[in-house]
Structure formats: C-alpha cells, structure tokens
C-alpha cells in the first residue's frame, strides 16, 4: 500500500526506509537502518526527482502509482547516479518510453555503465543555471561535481523554494513518518548520524562542498530536501552551520578524542590514564575509542568533530596495530587536516609503531604533532607516566585551559 507525504505545493515525498540493512555501501554500519528519499512534482508536466535503492523499490512503485493516479511520468531529474538512488531507472524508462531523463552529461555516461542501455534518446543534458519549466514550477539546476560523485547536481524549485540537495545534508538512519527535521529532536537524536554520514560519504570533498554552499547561499531556500534522512523547512542554520564547519575541516568543539589499538591492555591503560589527566584538567568531552572494537566509520566521524586527536598504538608485526593503521589510512583518504595530534606508541622489543604513525600523520595537512611522543614499553611505567603527564599538559595548554 502507498505511503506518501505532501511536502510542499504539488510536491510529494515518495521515499521509504530499509531497516534490515546492516552496512550502507557495504561498509558503514547502520544499526538504525537507512532512508531513501525521493520526490515528485505534479504540475502540467509530472517530474520525479531521483529514484530509490532497490531495497525499497516496491514501496516506491506503489507510492509513484498512487500520486501519478494514471498520469504519465514526463521527467526524471537525476541529481545523483549512485545506485542507492537509481535502481529504478531501467523500469521507469521501460514503462514510459517517452520519459525524459534530466542530468549532467556525466550522468548519461554513468547510466550507460550501470544499466547497459543507451540513454541518449531520453537525454536532456543540463549545465549550470539551466532551467526546466513544468508549468507553474520552474526547476533550476546547480552543479555540484564531486559532492561526492562527478555527475552530481542539486535542483532548486523556484516556485516553492525547495532545494533538492542530493546526498548533501543527508544522514544515516531509517526515518519514520516524521520526515521533517522539526518533527524530531534532531540535535539530540540525529546530529551524530548526520556527522558520520557527512564525514564518511562526503567528507573527502570539503572544497567542493564549500563551493556548493556558496552557490546555494544565493538562492531563496524555503526547504531542503536531501536524498537521505530529514527534510528541513526551518532552522536551516542548524545544518548549514555544521556543513560550513565540516567542509572547512573546522572542529565543532574543544574536545579530545583518544584512539587506541591495544593487544594486551598496556596501550589501552596509557590512553585511559591520559583521559583522566585531561578530564581532571577541565577538558570537556574527552572520548576514548578502542579501534579494534569501534567501526572506523565512527572513528573518522569523531575526527571531524574534535580539534585534538591522540593516536595510541601497539606495535604488531613490526608495524602499526591493525585497526589503527586502517584509521590513519582512512583519515588521510578523507583529507583530514588541521588538527592537534598526540602520539603514544608501545613496543615490547622493537617499538616500530611510533615512527610509522608519525609518518602516516605527517602525510595529512596541517597536523601539529605535540611533544612528547609517549613511549610505553609493554606496560605503563614511571617513565611513560611522566611522558603522559607532559603530553596532557601540552594538550591542555593548546586547548587554552
Ligand atoms: Fe546516497 Fe551518494 O548516494
């Protein structure tokens, strides 16, 4: 049975959530599921804005049939060609042979690659600022390349002020009927998953996100409708200010994140001791994560939040312990930069993790590595304790406590 909501004049949400999914993009844990939004404008012409993931395609079909109520689908605007939004394209084209597909030139290359048919007979290729009239509604296209794929654009409805924002401003997690951010306690319940989504899906492309923010700031936006999670119709500053920070790799607060990779507990002990010293010195929100236990998806997200990152690792196979190596590689892959960094390394006979971590950290831009680099030999002893004291003092000084 159909399950839709009208979100603005002539404009309907047709989306659905998948609560069985375990890993989004087969890598990011989504314990609360995943939502896939898409929208339709019912004007003199009918226009679908993006599709959905295959997992919710049945619900989408029922929603689409209900809102169309026997009318023909005239246009499909493809803001983003990733399969979590485009699984239904071949079905739509087959059902409506005269359907026009609207996208950037790169969109049509990707249709060919993913779906194996020639989209040219259906293609309307748009460039920056082009418009499409549906009757009362005029759609304006704003290109957003590499946010986070090359073909991405966002679509602005000049009549309603709705910005169909593709993946931008989205989040992890299934949503219920409360599809608007003002219908939930967004800050309390959803901000963390919006950050984790941004950091992992879009975070590598901060300059491109900043460029998009600049372009859309010139539009008279009344509603922001992303392809995942909640739709915004007020308090835009809440999400826009977070995006401005994340895009600039600016931390949100004055906290410290301590990541440790520990085999038998010596390195974990050093991390915990440091966290106590920082908390006693008045640092708010000191967070400690075991990299072997916590998903790297969450670990990367925390780095976008905090100005101070401490990496503590045992030496393993003459290298950095597994989870820590993956974390440092992932942070570099996401272009993490401009953080204050502490290093704790452990090695019972050849403490290689220390210089290898320093090498990995120095590959990231703007990383200020504090002294001392704390050396633990198997377990924390008096010498390591003194170095932890000194590192805590350096972090506290840097934070201006
Ligand atoms: Fe939600 Fe980049 O796909």
């Amino acid at each position: 049975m159909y399950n839709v909501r009208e979100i603005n004049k002539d404009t309907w949400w047709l989306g659905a959530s998948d609560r069985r999914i375990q890993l989004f993009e087969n890598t990011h844990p989504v314990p609360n599921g995943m939502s896939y939004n898409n929208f339709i404008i019912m004007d003199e012409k009918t226009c679908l804005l993006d599709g959905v993931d295959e997992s919710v395609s049945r619900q989408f079909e029922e929603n689409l049939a209900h809102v169309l109520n026997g009318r023909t689908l005239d246009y499909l605007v493809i803001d983003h060609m990733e399969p979590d939004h485009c699984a239904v394209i071949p079905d739509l084209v087959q059902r409506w042979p005269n359907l026009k597909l609207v996208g950037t030139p790169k969109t049509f290359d990707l249709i060919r690659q993913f779906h194996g048919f020639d989209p040219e007979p259906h293609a309307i290729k748009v460039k920056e600022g082009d418009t499409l009239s549906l009757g009362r509604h005029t759609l304006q296209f704003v290109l957003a390349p590499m946010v986070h794929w090359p073909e991405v654009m966002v679509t602005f409805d000049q009549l309603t002020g709705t910005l169909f924002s593709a993946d931008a401003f989205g989040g992890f997690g299934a949503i219920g009927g409360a599809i608007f951010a003002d219908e939930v306690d967004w800050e309390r319940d959803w901000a963390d998953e919006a950050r984790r989504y941004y950091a992992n899906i879009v975070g590598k492309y901060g300059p491109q996100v900043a460029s998009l923010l600049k372009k859309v700031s010139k539009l008279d936006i009344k509603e922001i409708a992303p392809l995942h999670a909640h739709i915004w119709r007020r308090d835009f500053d809440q999400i826009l200010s977070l995006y401005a920070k994340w895009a600039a790799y600016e931390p949100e607060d004055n906290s410290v994140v301590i990541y440790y990779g520990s085999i038998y507990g010596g390195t974990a002990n050093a991390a915990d001791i440091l966290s106590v010293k920082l908390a006693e010195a008045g640092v708010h929100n000191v967070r400690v994560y075991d990299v072997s236990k916590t998903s790297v998806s969450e670990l990367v997200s925390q780095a976008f939040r905090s100005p101070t990152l401490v990496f503590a690792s045992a030496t393993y196979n003459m290298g950095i312990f597994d989870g820590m190596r993956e974390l440092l590689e992932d942070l570099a892959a996401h272009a993490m930069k401009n953080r204050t960094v502490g290093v704790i390394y452990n090695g019972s006979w050849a403490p290689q993790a220390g210089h290898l971590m320093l090498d990995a950290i120095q590959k990231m831009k703007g990383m200020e590595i504090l002294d001392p680099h704390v050396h633990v030999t198997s377990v924390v002893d008096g010498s390591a304790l003194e170095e932890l004291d000194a590192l805590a003092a350096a972090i506290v000084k840097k934070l201006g406590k």
Side-chain angles (χ1 to χ4, degrees), residues 80 82 84-85 148 167 197 228:
H80 184 20
E82 193 160 6
D84 58 326
H85 308 293
H148 61 126
D167 274 345
Y197 177 85
H228 301 287

Side-chain angles (χ1 to χ4, degrees), residues 138-268:
T138 298
L139 301 182
Q140 177 183 339
F141 304 106
V142 178
L143 272 51
M146 297 319 298
V147 181
H148 61 126
W149 275 31
E151 84 297 355
V152 174
M153 63 180 189
V154 300
T155 298
F156 181 65
D157 181 344
Q158 294 177 345
L159 181 70
T160 62
T162 302
L163 179 71
F164 299 96
S165 64
D167 274 345
F169 313 115
F172 289 132
I175 56 174
I179 62 173
F180 292 100
D182 56 87
E183 294 177 329
V184 297
D185 191 332
W186 192 84
E187 178 70 33
R188 188 191 66 189
D189 296 335
W190 297 91
D192 284 346
E193 287 295 70
R195 180 191 307 104
R196 187 165 71 88
Y197 177 85
Y198 174 87
N200 287 283
I201 305 300
V202 192
K204 179 179 179 62
Y205 302 103
Q208 290 87 347
V209 173
S211 166
L212 175 63
L213 290 174
K214 193 171 168 191
K215 283 200 264 186
V216 301
S217 70
K218 296 176 184 136
L219 302 173
D220 186 14
I221 294 173
K222 302 276 187 355
E223 190 169 64
I224 300 174
L227 292 175
H228 301 287
H230 296 92
I231 300 163
W232 293 79
R233 56 187 173 184
R234 58 182 72 123
D235 304 326
F236 300 122
D237 192 50
Q238 197 172 3
I239 187 77
L240 289 174
S241 62
L242 282 172
Y243 259 67
K245 279 186 180 167
W246 295 335
Y249 301 91
E250 278 177 21
E252 291 170 51
D253 57 21
N254 214 21
S255 64
V256 176
V257 181
I258 304 173
Y259 304 104
Y260 72 79
S262 185
I263 306 163
Y264 290 110
T267 311

Side-chain angles (χ1 to χ4, degrees), residues 21 47 55 62 70 73 103 110 117 136 140 186 211 217-218 237 311 320 324 346 376-377 392 397:
I21 185 173
C47 179
S55 62
E62 296 199 45
L73 183 62
L110 291 169
F117 73 90
R136 297 177 296 279
Q140 177 183 339
W186 192 84
S211 166
S217 70
K218 296 176 184 136
D237 192 50
F311 302 99
I320 305 169
M324 183 63 71
N346 193 345
V376 177
T377 306
K397 184 177 175 193

